[in-house]
Every structure is written in structure tokens, then in C-alpha cells.
Amino acid sequence: MPYNSVFRPDLFAGRTVVVTGGGSGLGRCTAHELKSLGARLALIGRTPEKLDRVKEELGDAGTFTFAADLRDETQVKAMIDGVLAWGGRIDGLVNNAGGQFPAELKDISLNGWNAVVANNMTATFLVSKAVYLGWMKQNGGAIVNVGADFELGMPGMGHNGAARAGQTNFTYTASVEWAHAGVRVNSVIPGFIASSGFDRYPKTAHDVLRGVKKRIPLKRHGTESEIAGAIVYLLSDAAAYVTGISLRVDGGLHNYGKSSFYEVPDHDRSKPFNGFPLYRPPKVLE
């Protein structure tokens, strides 16, 4: 079954898009939607086997894959050189790769802190800079960074909150510094998305992941397709006048917060959108 996108066919025909973290979860889903819209894809990640599996799913021998540690500037440059040698251009970049783990600040080692900051902030900087200098400075393009909501702090994952704050601030700065080159830079801020990433959390976090729906005004988890759709919009020509924003896709979680003056009644009025026929819910929610 083809991807059921709400966007028109061939929206990205003739365009090359790089997707980091393209071997699973949100990156995999986004790759499938972009492919359904005619994009040529370069899938980047650490694990070649995951990338090759998605490439096979796409049924396109022309899809490019490159395994790299995006925290390493030398590897990032080699990756971008490889993409340009293969595709000749980079019209869009989705900085989706990242990783974090739950821990209180007092329990985070320096190595753990540095690893999360490097995964979720430094890699975004290194890849974006390499794409900008390698292609977009002369040709324009669109960059979308996939982040996380840090504005109210992130107790229990302070390293990720700090990294995402820096990532989003990078988005704001780059959107101004690179505007003259015709480059738009935006962020998508997912809420609790029922993706395979849920299954990487320890069992101690499972009850939180299952029960968080009560704190979300739309009373459900989001889908991978709902994040992919936001990314596709920001990459598309429809967002030609949109740059330097953080687009939250979180079911209203940020706005609800911990208000003591209003409680959203339980309901089932929010119907999820899922255009990805290969999607499977994370095991923790089964």
C-alpha cells in the first residue's frame, strides 16, 4: 500500500532531501512520505543495516544511504560530500537524528551529558553547516530540525532539555544569518509520539509513557505521520515565508501545562492521522 499523504503527488519531484536518523521511527516515516511525493532521498544514520532496510522498503535502488557518526565533523563532511557526489544537490535537510535517556541531573555523568548534547545539538550544527557551505549557500534550500519542548524545563532529562534549547536557539540564529542565501530554517517540536523510540526507554518510564494521555488536551499520543506531515509542510513551497519558527505538534500539551483552574474532560474527539501503512505501535503501548 502506498503512503497516504495529504500533499499532492510529485511535490518534491527533482529535489534531493537528506534525512538523518532515517533508519527508524520518525525518520523512517518521513522518508516514506517524502519518497511518495517524488523526492530523491539520502538516508543517514549510524547503523547501516537499519538504513538498508528502509531503502529496501522504499523499493528504490537509487536511494542513497550513508552511515556516519554525526557528532564527528570529519565524518559529517564526508557524508555531505558523498550525498553531493551521488545526487548533485541538496534541496532539503531534516535533522532528525538524536537520542537521550531519563536521569536526574544529580545522576548524569559528564560523559552522559556530553553524549546527549552532542547527539541533539552539536550534530544539528555540524550537519546544517556542512549542507549550507556545501550547497545551500549558493542555491538556497530548507532545513527542518526535529527537537523537543524545553521551555518549562525538562525535569528527569535535563541534559536533553539543555541540548534542545541550544538546538532551537541555533534554528532561530541560522534562520536570520542564512536568509540572504534563500535558506529557511525551522524546527518541529514533537510531543508524545507513539514511535519506536518509546521502546528504548527503561521499564521504569513505561507507566509515564502510557499514562501521559491524561495530560494532553487531545487525550491521545501523536502518530509518526503527524510529525512527518509537519516536516513536509516546512520543507515545501507552501512555507516559503516561514522561517525561524518552532512548530509544536503535541496535542496541546505545552499549553495545558499544570493548570489548576481547568481540567480537560476525557474525550475521544481527536482522530489520529496515520498515512504510513508500515507503521506499527510501540510494544510499550500494546
Side-chain angles (χ1 to χ4, degrees):
M1 294 177 62
Y3 195 102
N4 182 28
S5 178
V6 301
F7 299 94
R8 68 170 173 81
D10 297 325
L11 181 64
F12 292 97
R15 302 188 193 185
T16 298
V17 182
V18 175
V19 180
T20 73
S24 63
L26 300 178
R28 171 181 175 239
C29 179
T30 301
H32 273 266
E33 178 158 23
L34 287 168
K35 169 64 179 175
S36 77
L37 300 173
R40 300 186 71 210
L41 292 174
L43 304 180
I44 313 301
R46 290 191 194 178
T47 309
E49 293 78 12
K50 289 184 177 181
L51 298 174
D52 290 341
R53 187 160 54 246
V54 175
K55 179 178 178 177
E56 183 178 353
E57 290 173 359
L58 294 170
D60 180 10
T63 298
F64 182 77
T65 62
F66 196 103
D69 183 346
L70 302 181
R71 302 169 296 181
D72 183 291
E73 188 170 20
T74 300
Q75 292 188 46
V76 168
K77 187 177 185 306
M79 178 268 289
I80 296 303
D81 288 345
V83 173
L84 289 172
W86 163 75
R89 59 190 298 133
I90 299 175
D91 302 283
L93 166 63
V94 181
N95 281 308
N96 168 73
Q100 55 276 324
F101 56 91
E104 294 182 32
L105 291 172
K106 65 181 178 61
D107 299 321
I108 300 173
S109 68
L110 179 59
N111 285 341
W113 178 275
N114 287 341
V116 170
V117 170
N119 280 329
N120 297 338
M121 181 178 70
T122 305
T124 292
F125 160 68
L126 290 175
V127 177
S128 299
K129 177 185 174 184
V131 168
Y132 178 75
L133 293 176
W135 179 260
M136 290 188 180
K137 182 179 180 181
Q138 300 299 325
N139 302 281
I143 298 173
V144 179
N145 302 319
V146 180
D149 191 354
F150 60 87
E151 289 189 5
L152 301 180
M154 201 174 286
M157 246 193 303
H159 44 6
N160 188 39
R164 299 304 189 175
Q167 182 191 42
T168 301
N169 194 271
F170 167 80
T171 297
Y172 297 160
T173 300
S175 71
V176 175
E177 291 190 2
W178 297 349
H180 72 282
V183 178
R184 297 184 297 102
V185 189
N186 293 292
S187 289
V188 169
I189 309 297
F192 285 88
I193 306 302
S195 182
S196 59
F198 272 15
D199 289 330
R200 293 197 292 270
Y201 282 91
K203 288 185 178 181
T204 54
H206 287 184
D207 285 345
V208 173
L209 295 173
R210 295 189 190 102
V212 73
K213 292 189 294 184
K214 298 176 182 178
R215 296 164 43 203
I216 301 171
L218 294 188
K219 299 295 182 179
R220 65 175 178 84
H221 296 91
T223 70
E224 294 176 350
S225 295
E226 289 166 333
I227 300 299
I231 292 170
V232 168
Y233 162 68
L234 290 173
L235 289 174
S236 77
D237 293 342
Y241 200 53
V242 179
T243 195
I245 72 158
S246 294
L247 175 58
R248 289 194 185 92
V249 185
D250 66 356
L253 176 63
H254 179 89
N255 303 77
Y256 193 25
K258 297 181 179 179
S259 171
S260 59
F261 299 103
Y262 180 77
E263 182 175 344
V264 177
D266 287 336
H267 66 89
D268 60 358
R269 300 296 295 274
S270 176
K271 304 302 181 185
F273 171 72
N274 177 26
F276 187 20
L278 297 183
Y279 169 77
R280 297 294 180 272
K283 294 179 180 178
V284 68
L285 298 182
E286 291 178 351

